[in-house]
Amino acid sequence: MPLYFGLLAPSGPWEILAHRIVWSFLVCALLLHMRGRRLPSWRRPSRELLTIALASILIATNWVTYLLAVTSGRVTEAALGYFLTPLVSVALGFFVLRERLRRLQTLAVGIGAVGGLFLAVAGGHVPWIAFLLATSFGFYGLVKKRMPADLGALGSLTAESALLTPLALVAILTLGVSGTSTLDAGPVHVALLASTGLVTAVPLLLFAMSARRVPLVTIGLLQFISPVLQFVTGLALGEHMTPARWTGFAIVWVALLCLVTDSFRARQGRVHG
């Protein structure tokens, strides 16, 4: 993802976001048509519409924050955000859903909070990109639990992108009128912008499909692959890591180790039980 979005220069994060929304909607609509399904109906109770709208806002916030990180050379901070996401999800489960936390889960959340605070103080600046990525995606997962059941993975993503598409089209037209659009940068650039739909929709849909086929513990472990790759990519792109940042990352990784250990123990307990 960081390497791909880097190819979209000179497009800025807001222009990329607008195209990402529009093309994601078109890809999802096409996939629905291929499956013989119609676009999601908007004749729903106001509570369901509010849920879809909230999910749309959260995922758009997550997308544009990530784009700001990549286009400003802060890929390692974005990676930190996705390292923190599982910890935020566990914390939301406790505070919002009133789920009971096991001892290692509680320890993991506490250590993760210490790591985040350390990075904010010792790192010299608040890592707002990491915090915003973690909280937006954590709350997005929380809202998705309340998404109308009839939508399914593809339908919900279609509804979210459909709700945002009018605003995205206005943004694209505004950029064109103001002369700041990059659509005149050549056919290759336009093709890359159009491919944001596939780059966005396909991984999310594959994740939703695999979640029904693979044990949750395995899914949790696989989710760490993405931030690891992003972190390595950021280092390969030459981003500087101070000793304080290495220490902060190490604290977060200890928290994640506690979370992974707890998942394994819980899985073994269910198997033996």
Side-chain angles (χ1 to χ4, degrees), residues 133-155:
L133 282 173
T135 53
S136 61
F137 203 76
F139 276 99
Y140 177 68
L142 182 67
V143 172
K144 292 285 276 189
K145 285 181 173 292
R146 293 174 166 81
M147 194 67 73
D150 64 293
L151 288 177
L154 179 57

Side-chain angles (χ1 to χ4, degrees), residues 87-261:
L87 301 171
V88 171
S89 297
V90 172
L92 288 174
F94 175 74
F95 289 108
V96 179
L97 301 180
R98 303 299 180 184
E99 295 176 351
R100 295 184 61 183
L101 297 187
R102 294 182 292 271
R103 186 174 301 175
L104 274 178
Q105 289 177 316
T106 305
L107 181 62
V109 172
I111 295 174
V114 170
L117 183 61
F118 178 87
L119 284 165
V121 175
H125 74 282
V126 176
W128 66 268
I129 284 179
F131 291 158
L132 192 52
L133 282 173
T135 53
S136 61
F137 203 76
F139 276 99
Y140 177 68
L142 182 67
V143 172
K144 292 285 276 189
K145 285 181 173 292
R146 293 174 166 81
M147 194 67 73
D150 64 293
L151 288 177
L154 179 57
S156 62
L157 183 58
T158 306
E160 292 159 24
S161 54
L163 198 62
L164 294 169
T165 292
L167 294 175
L169 289 173
V170 169
I172 292 172
L173 290 173
T174 302
L175 289 170
V177 171
S178 64
T180 55
S181 172
T182 62
L183 286 176
D184 58 352
V188 174
H189 181 72
V190 174
L192 285 172
L193 283 174
S195 64
T196 54
L198 286 172
V199 170
T200 299
V202 171
L204 288 173
L205 294 175
L206 288 175
F207 173 79
M209 293 167 61
S210 64
R212 297 194 299 267
R213 295 171 169 82
V214 181
L216 188 60
V217 172
T218 305
I219 289 290
L221 294 176
L222 290 175
Q223 282 186 289
F224 292 128
I225 295 176
S226 176
V228 167
L229 290 177
Q230 292 184 54
F231 181 71
V232 172
T233 301
L235 294 179
L237 291 173
E239 293 187 17
H240 179 62
M241 288 284 291
T242 63
R245 290 194 73 197
W246 277 112
T247 302
F249 268 75
I251 295 172
V252 173
W253 290 334
V254 170
L256 293 177
L257 181 60
C258 292
L259 205 59
V260 170
T261 302

